[in-house]
Amino acid sequence: MGNSSVKAQAATEVTEAATNEGLKKGIAEFYDESSGVWESVWGDHMHHGFYEPGTTASLSDHRTAQIRMIEEALSFAGVSDDPIKKPKTIVDVGCGIGGSSRYLAKKYGAQCQGITLSPVQAQRAQALAAAEDALQQPFPDGQFDLVWSMESGEHMPEKAKFVSELARVAAPGATLIIVTWCHRNLSPSEDSLKPDEINLLNKICNAYYLPAWCSAADYVNIAKSLSLENIKTADWSENVAPFWPAVIRSAFTWQGFTSLLQSGWKTIKGALVMPLMIEGYKKNLIKFAIITCRKPE
């Protein structure tokens, strides 16, 4: 009996490892294909823009909105501009092609290191010589004053391990900022999402190489379990609502259309499910959340 349970556990661990490796490979290949398209149309900030609710986003103001997203996140977390208190060492987990990394480094005069699964992105950003895994970061404990993760948490298969790694590399007193896609918080009477909600998320997962989704409340509980302090969260779904329609419109420009055709099937498949992201937001299923906290001194 004991031996069979050990074998079952080992088999499960092997399956999970294989699944995680498949996810990492898919994520890397997806961004290897799509990063050039994104940069040519939208620029070097590979994340949502922050807009006034109810407005219409356009290509002409996307960069301003993406910069505003960074600034709103820093403000929400209470990151200081004071020369004495401002961060001096920063890690950008899921750095893309380094847009946020360069912005943060310039803003604070700080040393900023980026980490990404995509070798193409790593080379483009010149962030690291080799791609690394955000669930096992190549940094010692307590190295960074600001730990920044802009739209990378949704790609992490083990959310608790992901946040634990962010906390591990954070210096005492450091601020952690996670901006990520989540599903809605479950009500006290719910054990899980509804079947049609799970079906919609699965379609998005298949296109974007995402593991199972979690809620902002799940992130808060993980932060509490790690004894992190000053935990705050907010739902910015309304502020990013104009983003996906603008991305879809950009795909129908001549530059966007030709770039998509040249990029590869993974990028095209990702473009085809963009309307599902809009549907998820409209149904209040998909949430764009920020979670910030502080490592105890």
Side-chain angles (χ1 to χ4, degrees), residues 172-215:
T175 297
L176 286 73
I177 300 177
I178 302 169
V179 183
T180 187
W181 310 358
C182 292
H183 67 60
R184 64 175 177 82
N185 291 333
L186 299 178
S187 69
S189 62
E190 289 181 305
D191 294 324
S192 65
L193 295 171
K194 299 169 186 173
D196 63 311
E197 293 178 321
I198 294 171
N199 183 52
L200 176 58
L201 293 183
N202 283 342
K203 290 177 181 177
I204 295 170
C205 288
N206 289 336
Y208 293 135
Y209 298 91
L210 304 178
W213 295 52
C214 73
S215 67

mmCIF file of all heavy atoms in Angstrom, residues 172-215:
data_model
loop_
_atom_site.group_PDB
_atom_site.id
_atom_site.type_symbol
_atom_site.label_atom_id
_atom_site.label_comp_id
_atom_site.label_asym_id
_atom_site.label_seq_id
_atom_site.Cartn_x
_atom_site.Cartn_y
_atom_site.Cartn_z
ATOM 1 N N PRO A 172 15.048 42.896 2.634
ATOM 2 C CA PRO A 172 14.171 43.320 3.735
ATOM 3 C C PRO A 172 13.667 44.748 3.515
ATOM 4 O O PRO A 172 14.454 45.648 3.187
ATOM 5 C CB PRO A 172 15.093 43.231 4.955
ATOM 6 C CG PRO A 172 16.105 42.188 4.584
ATOM 7 C CD PRO A 172 16.341 42.377 3.114
ATOM 8 N N GLY A 173 12.370 44.934 3.633
ATOM 9 C CA GLY A 173 11.769 46.249 3.396
ATOM 10 C C GLY A 173 11.441 46.534 1.949
ATOM 11 O O GLY A 173 10.892 47.598 1.629
ATOM 12 N N ALA A 174 11.751 45.605 1.036
ATOM 13 C CA ALA A 174 11.525 45.819 -0.394
ATOM 14 C C ALA A 174 10.039 45.769 -0.735
ATOM 15 O O ALA A 174 9.247 45.133 -0.049
ATOM 16 C CB ALA A 174 12.276 44.767 -1.210
ATOM 17 N N THR A 175 9.688 46.423 -1.827
ATOM 18 C CA THR A 175 8.317 46.411 -2.342
ATOM 19 C C THR A 175 8.206 45.370 -3.452
ATOM 20 O O THR A 175 9.087 45.268 -4.303
ATOM 21 C CB THR A 175 7.938 47.794 -2.900
ATOM 22 O OG1 THR A 175 7.976 48.758 -1.842
ATOM 23 C CG2 THR A 175 6.545 47.778 -3.506
ATOM 24 N N LEU A 176 7.108 44.617 -3.426
ATOM 25 C CA LEU A 176 6.800 43.659 -4.483
ATOM 26 C C LEU A 176 5.567 44.155 -5.225
ATOM 27 O O LEU A 176 4.563 44.524 -4.599
ATOM 28 C CB LEU A 176 6.510 42.268 -3.914
ATOM 29 C CG LEU A 176 7.686 41.429 -3.395
ATOM 30 C CD1 LEU A 176 8.210 41.978 -2.064
ATOM 31 C CD2 LEU A 176 7.252 39.983 -3.203
ATOM 32 N N ILE A 177 5.619 44.180 -6.544
ATOM 33 C CA ILE A 177 4.494 44.609 -7.373
ATOM 34 C C ILE A 177 4.190 43.514 -8.394
ATOM 35 O O ILE A 177 5.048 43.155 -9.200
ATOM 36 C CB ILE A 177 4.794 45.936 -8.105
ATOM 37 C CG1 ILE A 177 5.081 47.057 -7.099
ATOM 38 C CG2 ILE A 177 3.631 46.316 -9.022
ATOM 39 C CD1 ILE A 177 5.467 48.382 -7.751
ATOM 40 N N ILE A 178 2.970 42.997 -8.338
ATOM 41 C CA ILE A 178 2.511 41.990 -9.296
ATOM 42 C C ILE A 178 1.299 42.559 -10.027
ATOM 43 O O ILE A 178 0.293 42.887 -9.392
ATOM 44 C CB ILE A 178 2.107 40.679 -8.593
ATOM 45 C CG1 ILE A 178 3.287 40.108 -7.792
ATOM 46 C CG2 ILE A 178 1.605 39.657 -9.605
ATOM 47 C CD1 ILE A 178 2.896 38.970 -6.870
ATOM 48 N N VAL A 179 1.399 42.718 -11.323
ATOM 49 C CA VAL A 179 0.267 43.134 -12.155
ATOM 50 C C VAL A 179 -0.012 41.981 -13.109
ATOM 51 O O VAL A 179 0.874 41.574 -13.866
ATOM 52 C CB VAL A 179 0.579 44.431 -12.932
ATOM 53 C CG1 VAL A 179 -0.643 44.880 -13.718
ATOM 54 C CG2 VAL A 179 1.035 45.541 -11.982
ATOM 55 N N THR A 180 -1.222 41.442 -13.053
ATOM 56 C CA THR A 180 -1.440 40.173 -13.743
ATOM 57 C C THR A 180 -2.895 39.960 -14.122
ATOM 58 O O THR A 180 -3.789 40.601 -13.580
ATOM 59 C CB THR A 180 -0.955 39.011 -12.847
ATOM 60 O OG1 THR A 180 -1.010 37.784 -13.568
ATOM 61 C CG2 THR A 180 -1.796 38.888 -11.587
ATOM 62 N N TRP A 181 -3.111 39.045 -15.058
ATOM 63 C CA TRP A 181 -4.462 38.608 -15.400
ATOM 64 C C TRP A 181 -4.931 37.603 -14.341
ATOM 65 O O TRP A 181 -4.187 36.704 -13.959
ATOM 66 C CB TRP A 181 -4.497 37.900 -16.743
ATOM 67 C CG TRP A 181 -3.851 38.590 -17.898
ATOM 68 C CD1 TRP A 181 -3.251 39.824 -17.903
ATOM 69 C CD2 TRP A 181 -3.703 38.075 -19.225
ATOM 70 N NE1 TRP A 181 -2.750 40.102 -19.142
ATOM 71 C CE2 TRP A 181 -3.012 39.045 -19.990
ATOM 72 C CE3 TRP A 181 -4.087 36.891 -19.849
ATOM 73 C CZ2 TRP A 181 -2.693 38.877 -21.319
ATOM 74 C CZ3 TRP A 181 -3.770 36.716 -21.184
ATOM 75 C CH2 TRP A 181 -3.090 37.697 -21.918
ATOM 76 N N CYS A 182 -6.150 37.762 -13.890
ATOM 77 C CA CYS A 182 -6.740 36.837 -12.922
ATOM 78 C C CYS A 182 -8.144 36.465 -13.384
ATOM 79 O O CYS A 182 -8.692 37.107 -14.278
ATOM 80 C CB CYS A 182 -6.845 37.487 -11.539
ATOM 81 S SG CYS A 182 -5.263 37.809 -10.741
ATOM 82 N N HIS A 183 -8.713 35.447 -12.752
ATOM 83 C CA HIS A 183 -10.156 35.276 -12.903
ATOM 84 C C HIS A 183 -10.843 35.929 -11.713
ATOM 85 O O HIS A 183 -10.194 36.299 -10.729
ATOM 86 C CB HIS A 183 -10.537 33.799 -13.082
ATOM 87 C CG HIS A 183 -10.314 32.903 -11.893
ATOM 88 N ND1 HIS A 183 -10.919 33.100 -10.654
ATOM 89 C CD2 HIS A 183 -9.571 31.776 -11.747
ATOM 90 C CE1 HIS A 183 -10.574 32.151 -9.816
ATOM 91 N NE2 HIS A 183 -9.743 31.331 -10.453
ATOM 92 N N ARG A 184 -12.128 36.097 -11.792
ATOM 93 C CA ARG A 184 -12.882 36.769 -10.727
ATOM 94 C C ARG A 184 -12.712 36.026 -9.401
ATOM 95 O O ARG A 184 -12.439 34.824 -9.369
ATOM 96 C CB ARG A 184 -14.366 36.839 -11.095
ATOM 97 C CG ARG A 184 -15.033 35.471 -11.214
ATOM 98 C CD ARG A 184 -16.526 35.592 -11.453
ATOM 99 N NE ARG A 184 -17.169 34.283 -11.635
ATOM 100 C CZ ARG A 184 -17.545 33.485 -10.648
ATOM 101 N NH1 ARG A 184 -17.322 33.842 -9.390
ATOM 102 N NH2 ARG A 184 -18.124 32.312 -10.896
ATOM 103 N N ASN A 185 -12.885 36.762 -8.304
ATOM 104 C CA ASN A 185 -12.882 36.121 -6.994
ATOM 105 C C ASN A 185 -14.125 35.256 -6.854
ATOM 106 O O ASN A 185 -15.217 35.646 -7.285
ATOM 107 C CB ASN A 185 -12.860 37.170 -5.880
ATOM 108 C CG ASN A 185 -11.536 37.919 -5.813
ATOM 109 O OD1 ASN A 185 -10.491 37.389 -6.209
ATOM 110 N ND2 ASN A 185 -11.574 39.142 -5.323
ATOM 111 N N LEU A 186 -13.976 34.108 -6.267
ATOM 112 C CA LEU A 186 -15.122 33.231 -6.025
ATOM 113 C C LEU A 186 -15.917 33.737 -4.827
ATOM 114 O O LEU A 186 -15.347 34.290 -3.880
ATOM 115 C CB LEU A 186 -14.653 31.795 -5.761
ATOM 116 C CG LEU A 186 -13.871 31.102 -6.878
ATOM 117 C CD1 LEU A 186 -13.443 29.707 -6.434
ATOM 118 C CD2 LEU A 186 -14.697 31.014 -8.156
ATOM 119 N N SER A 187 -17.220 33.549 -4.864
ATOM 120 C CA SER A 187 -18.057 33.891 -3.720
ATOM 121 C C SER A 187 -17.888 32.820 -2.644
ATOM 122 O O SER A 187 -17.435 31.703 -2.938
ATOM 123 C CB SER A 187 -19.525 33.997 -4.141
ATOM 124 O OG SER A 187 -20.025 32.717 -4.488
ATOM 125 N N PRO A 188 -18.270 33.107 -1.399
ATOM 126 C CA PRO A 188 -18.118 32.118 -0.324
ATOM 127 C C PRO A 188 -18.843 30.800 -0.601
ATOM 128 O O PRO A 188 -18.435 29.753 -0.094
ATOM 129 C CB PRO A 188 -18.729 32.829 0.891
ATOM 130 C CG PRO A 188 -18.559 34.287 0.595
ATOM 131 C CD PRO A 188 -18.733 34.412 -0.888
ATOM 132 N N SER A 189 -19.888 30.849 -1.417
ATOM 133 C CA SER A 189 -20.662 29.626 -1.686
ATOM 134 C C SER A 189 -20.120 28.821 -2.866
ATOM 135 O O SER A 189 -20.609 27.740 -3.165
ATOM 136 C CB SER A 189 -22.129 29.983 -1.961
ATOM 137 O OG SER A 189 -22.225 30.807 -3.120
ATOM 138 N N GLU A 190 -19.092 29.344 -3.546
ATOM 139 C CA GLU A 190 -18.547 28.682 -4.740
ATOM 140 C C GLU A 190 -17.275 27.914 -4.431
ATOM 141 O O GLU A 190 -16.392 28.403 -3.716
ATOM 142 C CB GLU A 190 -18.240 29.724 -5.827
ATOM 143 C CG GLU A 190 -19.450 30.346 -6.473
ATOM 144 C CD GLU A 190 -19.045 31.346 -7.551
ATOM 145 O OE1 GLU A 190 -18.269 32.273 -7.246
ATOM 146 O OE2 GLU A 190 -19.499 31.191 -8.694
ATOM 147 N N ASP A 191 -17.176 26.727 -5.013
ATOM 148 C CA ASP A 191 -15.946 25.942 -4.931
ATOM 149 C C ASP A 191 -15.060 26.150 -6.155
ATOM 150 O O ASP A 191 -13.852 25.924 -6.097
ATOM 151 C CB ASP A 191 -16.264 24.448 -4.799
ATOM 152 C CG ASP A 191 -16.963 24.111 -3.498
ATOM 153 O OD1 ASP A 191 -16.630 24.745 -2.473
ATOM 154 O OD2 ASP A 191 -17.847 23.244 -3.509
ATOM 155 N N SER A 192 -15.682 26.547 -7.259
ATOM 156 C CA SER A 192 -14.926 26.735 -8.496
ATOM 157 C C SER A 192 -15.708 27.645 -9.427
ATOM 158 O O SER A 192 -16.861 28.021 -9.141
ATOM 159 C CB SER A 192 -14.669 25.399 -9.186
ATOM 160 O OG SER A 192 -15.884 24.825 -9.614
ATOM 161 N N LEU A 193 -15.094 27.986 -10.547
ATOM 162 C CA LEU A 193 -15.786 28.746 -11.576
ATOM 163 C C LEU A 193 -16.858 27.880 -12.233
ATOM 164 O O LEU A 193 -16.852 26.652 -12.106
ATOM 165 C CB LEU A 193 -14.798 29.208 -12.644
ATOM 166 C CG LEU A 193 -13.721 30.215 -12.202
ATOM 167 C CD1 LEU A 193 -12.700 30.399 -13.324
ATOM 168 C CD2 LEU A 193 -14.326 31.553 -11.810
ATOM 169 N N LYS A 194 -17.752 28.527 -12.958
ATOM 170 C CA LYS A 194 -18.799 27.794 -13.672
ATOM 171 C C LYS A 194 -18.197 27.104 -14.903
ATOM 172 O O LYS A 194 -17.189 27.570 -15.449
ATOM 173 C CB LYS A 194 -19.906 28.762 -14.099
ATOM 174 C CG LYS A 194 -20.586 29.456 -12.927
ATOM 175 C CD LYS A 194 -21.478 30.590 -13.393
ATOM 176 C CE LYS A 194 -22.052 31.374 -12.213
ATOM 177 N NZ LYS A 194 -22.799 32.574 -12.647
ATOM 178 N N PRO A 195 -18.816 26.010 -15.353
ATOM 179 C CA PRO A 195 -18.276 25.264 -16.507
ATOM 180 C C PRO A 195 -18.063 26.116 -17.751
ATOM 181 O O PRO A 195 -17.047 25.965 -18.447
ATOM 182 C CB PRO A 195 -19.336 24.189 -16.750
ATOM 183 C CG PRO A 195 -19.952 23.963 -15.409
ATOM 184 C CD PRO A 195 -19.962 25.314 -14.740
ATOM 185 N N ASP A 196 -18.992 27.039 -18.054
ATOM 186 C CA ASP A 196 -18.815 27.865 -19.252
ATOM 187 C C ASP A 196 -17.664 28.853 -19.071
ATOM 188 O O ASP A 196 -16.972 29.199 -20.039
ATOM 189 C CB ASP A 196 -20.117 28.604 -19.590
ATOM 190 C CG ASP A 196 -20.539 29.577 -18.499
ATOM 191 O OD1 ASP A 196 -20.571 29.174 -17.318
ATOM 192 O OD2 ASP A 196 -20.844 30.743 -18.813
ATOM 193 N N GLU A 197 -17.423 29.283 -17.835
ATOM 194 C CA GLU A 197 -16.291 30.176 -17.561
ATOM 195 C C GLU A 197 -14.969 29.425 -17.729
ATOM 196 O O GLU A 197 -14.013 29.943 -18.315
ATOM 197 C CB GLU A 197 -16.403 30.736 -16.142
ATOM 198 C CG GLU A 197 -17.577 31.678 -15.942
ATOM 199 C CD GLU A 197 -17.700 32.176 -14.513
ATOM 200 O OE1 GLU A 197 -17.466 31.368 -13.577
ATOM 201 O OE2 GLU A 197 -18.033 33.353 -14.315
ATOM 202 N N ILE A 198 -14.927 28.207 -17.218
ATOM 203 C CA ILE A 198 -13.725 27.382 -17.353
ATOM 204 C C ILE A 198 -13.443 27.102 -18.830
ATOM 205 O O ILE A 198 -12.291 27.155 -19.282
ATOM 206 C CB ILE A 198 -13.892 26.056 -16.580
ATOM 207 C CG1 ILE A 198 -13.972 26.340 -15.066
ATOM 208 C CG2 ILE A 198 -12.742 25.099 -16.885
ATOM 209 C CD1 ILE A 198 -14.340 25.135 -14.230
ATOM 210 N N ASN A 199 -14.479 26.846 -19.599
ATOM 211 C CA ASN A 199 -14.334 26.572 -21.029
ATOM 212 C C ASN A 199 -13.739 27.778 -21.762
ATOM 213 O O ASN A 199 -12.846 27.633 -22.608
ATOM 214 C CB ASN A 199 -15.695 26.205 -21.624
ATOM 215 C CG ASN A 199 -15.602 25.848 -23.095
ATOM 216 O OD1 ASN A 199 -14.800 25.019 -23.494
ATOM 217 N ND2 ASN A 199 -16.443 26.476 -23.906
ATOM 218 N N LEU A 200 -14.207 28.973 -21.429
ATOM 219 C CA LEU A 200 -13.698 30.182 -22.070
ATOM 220 C C LEU A 200 -12.224 30.393 -21.724
ATOM 221 O O LEU A 200 -11.400 30.676 -22.615
ATOM 222 C CB LEU A 200 -14.519 31.401 -21.625
ATOM 223 C CG LEU A 200 -14.070 32.770 -22.136
ATOM 224 C CD1 LEU A 200 -14.051 32.802 -23.658
ATOM 225 C CD2 LEU A 200 -14.961 33.876 -21.595
ATOM 226 N N LEU A 201 -11.883 30.230 -20.448
ATOM 227 C CA LEU A 201 -10.488 30.411 -20.039
ATOM 228 C C LEU A 201 -9.580 29.365 -20.680
ATOM 229 O O LEU A 201 -8.437 29.671 -21.052
ATOM 230 C CB LEU A 201 -10.364 30.353 -18.517
ATOM 231 C CG LEU A 201 -11.005 31.498 -17.732
ATOM 232 C CD1 LEU A 201 -10.730 31.344 -16.248
ATOM 233 C CD2 LEU A 201 -10.500 32.859 -18.217
ATOM 234 N N ASN A 202 -10.074 28.143 -20.823
ATOM 235 C CA ASN A 202 -9.260 27.093 -21.439
ATOM 236 C C ASN A 202 -8.908 27.415 -22.886
ATOM 237 O O ASN A 202 -7.810 27.119 -23.359
ATOM 238 C CB ASN A 202 -9.979 25.742 -21.367
ATOM 239 C CG ASN A 202 -9.905 25.113 -19.983
ATOM 240 O OD1 ASN A 202 -9.058 25.489 -19.163
ATOM 241 N ND2 ASN A 202 -10.785 24.169 -19.701
ATOM 242 N N LYS A 203 -9.855 28.017 -23.600
ATOM 243 C CA LYS A 203 -9.585 28.411 -24.986
ATOM 244 C C LYS A 203 -8.469 29.459 -25.042
ATOM 245 O O LYS A 203 -7.606 29.425 -25.929
ATOM 246 C CB LYS A 203 -10.860 28.958 -25.636
ATOM 247 C CG LYS A 203 -11.928 27.901 -25.903
ATOM 248 C CD LYS A 203 -13.180 28.536 -26.486
ATOM 249 C CE LYS A 203 -14.270 27.492 -26.733
ATOM 250 N NZ LYS A 203 -15.524 28.109 -27.225
ATOM 251 N N ILE A 204 -8.499 30.390 -24.088
ATOM 252 C CA ILE A 204 -7.470 31.425 -24.024
ATOM 253 C C ILE A 204 -6.136 30.809 -23.623
ATOM 254 O O ILE A 204 -5.084 31.127 -24.184
ATOM 255 C CB ILE A 204 -7.888 32.540 -23.040
ATOM 256 C CG1 ILE A 204 -9.126 33.265 -23.580
ATOM 257 C CG2 ILE A 204 -6.747 33.527 -22.810
ATOM 258 C CD1 ILE A 204 -9.772 34.214 -22.601
ATOM 259 N N CYS A 205 -6.179 29.886 -22.664
ATOM 260 C CA CYS A 205 -4.960 29.203 -22.203
ATOM 261 C C CYS A 205 -4.273 28.473 -23.349
ATOM 262 O O CYS A 205 -3.037 28.516 -23.476
ATOM 263 C CB CYS A 205 -5.294 28.205 -21.093
ATOM 264 S SG CYS A 205 -5.725 28.956 -19.519
ATOM 265 N N ASN A 206 -5.048 27.807 -24.171
ATOM 266 C CA ASN A 206 -4.479 27.041 -25.274
ATOM 267 C C ASN A 206 -3.761 27.935 -26.283
ATOM 268 O O ASN A 206 -2.764 27.535 -26.881
ATOM 269 C CB ASN A 206 -5.579 26.240 -25.984
ATOM 270 C CG ASN A 206 -6.089 25.096 -25.133
ATOM 271 O OD1 ASN A 206 -5.388 24.608 -24.253
ATOM 272 N ND2 ASN A 206 -7.319 24.674 -25.377
ATOM 273 N N ALA A 207 -4.263 29.141 -26.463
ATOM 274 C CA ALA A 207 -3.657 30.051 -27.437
ATOM 275 C C ALA A 207 -2.432 30.766 -26.877
ATOM 276 O O ALA A 207 -1.460 31.002 -27.599
ATOM 277 C CB ALA A 207 -4.688 31.076 -27.908
ATOM 278 N N TYR A 208 -2.493 31.102 -25.592
ATOM 279 C CA TYR A 208 -1.418 31.903 -24.997
ATOM 280 C C TYR A 208 -0.479 31.109 -24.099
ATOM 281 O O TYR A 208 0.350 31.693 -23.405
ATOM 282 C CB TYR A 208 -2.025 33.073 -24.203
ATOM 283 C CG TYR A 208 -2.713 34.097 -25.071
ATOM 284 C CD1 TYR A 208 -3.959 34.608 -24.710
ATOM 285 C CD2 TYR A 208 -2.132 34.558 -26.245
ATOM 286 C CE1 TYR A 208 -4.607 35.558 -25.495
ATOM 287 C CE2 TYR A 208 -2.765 35.503 -27.037
ATOM 288 C CZ TYR A 208 -4.003 35.996 -26.651
ATOM 289 O OH TYR A 208 -4.633 36.931 -27.437
ATOM 290 N N TYR A 209 -0.635 29.787 -24.080
ATOM 291 C CA TYR A 209 0.232 28.926 -23.281
ATOM 292 C C TYR A 209 0.199 29.321 -21.805
ATOM 293 O O TYR A 209 1.232 29.586 -21.182
ATOM 294 C CB TYR A 209 1.666 28.939 -23.843
ATOM 295 C CG TYR A 209 1.711 28.406 -25.238
ATOM 296 C CD1 TYR A 209 1.582 29.261 -26.342
ATOM 297 C CD2 TYR A 209 1.795 27.035 -25.484
ATOM 298 C CE1 TYR A 209 1.573 28.765 -27.643
ATOM 299 C CE2 TYR A 209 1.787 26.533 -26.779
ATOM 300 C CZ TYR A 209 1.669 27.402 -27.839
ATOM 301 O OH TYR A 209 1.645 26.911 -29.125
ATOM 302 N N LEU A 210 -1.009 29.352 -21.272
ATOM 303 C CA LEU A 210 -1.213 29.703 -19.876
ATOM 304 C C LEU A 210 -1.578 28.467 -19.061
ATOM 305 O O LEU A 210 -2.312 27.602 -19.537
ATOM 306 C CB LEU A 210 -2.342 30.732 -19.730
ATOM 307 C CG LEU A 210 -2.203 32.042 -20.511
ATOM 308 C CD1 LEU A 210 -3.439 32.906 -20.292
ATOM 309 C CD2 LEU A 210 -0.952 32.784 -20.084
ATOM 310 N N PRO A 211 -1.099 28.379 -17.836
ATOM 311 C CA PRO A 211 -1.560 27.324 -16.930
ATOM 312 C C PRO A 211 -2.903 27.732 -16.334
ATOM 313 O O PRO A 211 -3.538 28.694 -16.794
ATOM 314 C CB PRO A 211 -0.463 27.299 -15.868
ATOM 315 C CG PRO A 211 0.008 28.726 -15.812
ATOM 316 C CD PRO A 211 -0.107 29.252 -17.233
ATOM 317 N N ALA A 212 -3.342 27.031 -15.294
ATOM 318 C CA ALA A 212 -4.613 27.360 -14.650
ATOM 319 C C ALA A 212 -4.575 28.776 -14.078
ATOM 320 O O ALA A 212 -3.553 29.232 -13.554
ATOM 321 C CB ALA A 212 -4.905 26.346 -13.545
ATOM 322 N N TRP A 213 -5.695 29.484 -14.203
ATOM 323 C CA TRP A 213 -5.804 30.836 -13.680
ATOM 324 C C TRP A 213 -6.068 30.802 -12.180
ATOM 325 O O TRP A 213 -6.532 29.797 -11.632
ATOM 326 C CB TRP A 213 -6.950 31.581 -14.370
ATOM 327 C CG TRP A 213 -6.770 31.828 -15.828
ATOM 328 C CD1 TRP A 213 -6.456 30.918 -16.789
ATOM 329 C CD2 TRP A 213 -6.928 33.085 -16.508
ATOM 330 N NE1 TRP A 213 -6.406 31.519 -18.027
ATOM 331 C CE2 TRP A 213 -6.694 32.842 -17.885
ATOM 332 C CE3 TRP A 213 -7.263 34.372 -16.100
ATOM 333 C CZ2 TRP A 213 -6.772 33.849 -18.846
ATOM 334 C CZ3 TRP A 213 -7.338 35.380 -17.056
ATOM 335 C CH2 TRP A 213 -7.087 35.123 -18.408
ATOM 336 N N CYS A 214 -5.817 31.916 -11.516
ATOM 337 C CA CYS A 214 -6.213 32.069 -10.119
ATOM 338 C C CYS A 214 -6.832 33.455 -9.955
ATOM 339 O O CYS A 214 -6.890 34.236 -10.895
ATOM 340 C CB CYS A 214 -5.025 31.868 -9.181
ATOM 341 S SG CYS A 214 -3.829 33.223 -9.166
ATOM 342 N N SER A 215 -7.295 33.753 -8.755
ATOM 343 C CA SER A 215 -7.930 35.047 -8.490
ATOM 344 C C SER A 215 -6.970 35.964 -7.742
ATOM 345 O O SER A 215 -5.945 35.523 -7.203
ATOM 346 C CB SER A 215 -9.193 34.843 -7.654
ATOM 347 O OG SER A 215 -8.851 34.378 -6.354
#
